[in-house]
Amino acid sequence: KKVYFLWVTRTQKQYEWFTDVIREVEEADTKGLVEMHIFVTQLLNKFDLRTTMLYACERHFQKLSGRSLFTGLRSVTHFGRPDFKIFFDSLQDEHQHLPKIGVFSCGPPTVTNAVDEACSATNRFEGPAFVHHFENF
C-alpha cells in the first residue's frame, strides 16, 4: 500500500500554511507509505534557465540531505506543472501487480479534467486501471 500526494500550487507562499501538516505526516510515516511531491507552477518549465538552476540546486540538496532546499521537507519540490500522464505511467510500471489504482483530485475543473484525461490515456495500456474520483471548487 502506498499513497502518492501531489500538491500543485502557483507559488511557495500559497502552500506555506500547509507545511506543518505535511511535516507531521512525514514524521508519522515510519513505514514509508506516503510519498509527497509539491509542484510550484509560477516558475516556467525545466527548460527555462532560472528554473533549471533552481531545479539543479533542489535535486542536489535533496540527494545530500534528504530534504528540500526550499521547504525543509522530505517532499520533493518540482517547478512547473505536473505531467500527470508521465507520473501515472511510472506508477503503472511500479505497481504492475495491482488491478487498479485510485486517483483522488480536488481543484478547479481544468485540473481535474487534466487528471481525468491522464487516467484515461494511461488506461489504454495493460496494467492497473486508474479510477479517478474528484471534487471541484
Side-chain angles (χ1 to χ4, degrees):
K1 302 216 181 222
K2 185 103 174 165
V3 173
Y4 297 90
F5 181 84
L6 282 66
W7 184 266
V8 182
T9 182
R10 182 164 166 73
T11 67
Q12 184 175 343
K13 283 230 177 274
Q14 290 178 329
Y15 74 85
E16 285 178 348
W17 65 272
F18 197 59
T19 52
D20 288 339
V21 173
I22 294 173
R23 188 171 287 106
E24 286 178 29
V25 170
E26 288 180 345
E27 290 170 3
D29 181 29
T30 58
K31 296 183 181 180
L33 298 176
V34 180
E35 183 178 313
M36 292 191 235
H37 298 264
I38 299 169
F39 290 83
V40 180
T41 62
Q42 181 180 32
L43 300 171
L44 298 176
N45 57 44
K46 286 187 251 181
F47 303 108
D48 169 75
L49 180 60
R50 176 182 61 153
T51 307
T52 300
M53 293 304 295
L54 289 170
Y55 190 79
C57 290
E58 171 69 6
R59 289 296 160 260
H60 181 70
F61 190 83
Q62 186 95 28
K63 284 180 184 175
L64 292 177
S65 69
R67 299 208 170 265
S68 169
L69 173 67
F70 301 100
T71 65
L73 298 169
R74 288 192 314 249
S75 304
V76 180
T77 303
H78 304 270
F79 305 105
R81 294 177 184 206
D83 186 327
F84 294 114
K85 174 72 170 84
I86 290 173
F87 186 77
F88 293 160
D89 285 346
S90 70
L91 293 182
Q92 196 171 50
D93 290 343
E94 187 172 340
H95 301 288
Q96 278 292 321
H97 60 285
L98 296 176
K100 66 181 177 177
I101 295 174
V103 178
F104 304 88
S105 66
C106 181
T110 53
V111 171
T112 57
N113 288 342
V115 172
D116 199 57
E117 288 171 12
C119 287
S120 295
T122 305
N123 285 341
R124 293 185 191 139
F125 303 104
E126 286 188 29
F130 285 74
V131 181
H132 184 215
H133 308 273
F134 66 92
E135 185 72 33
N136 290 125
F137 59 78

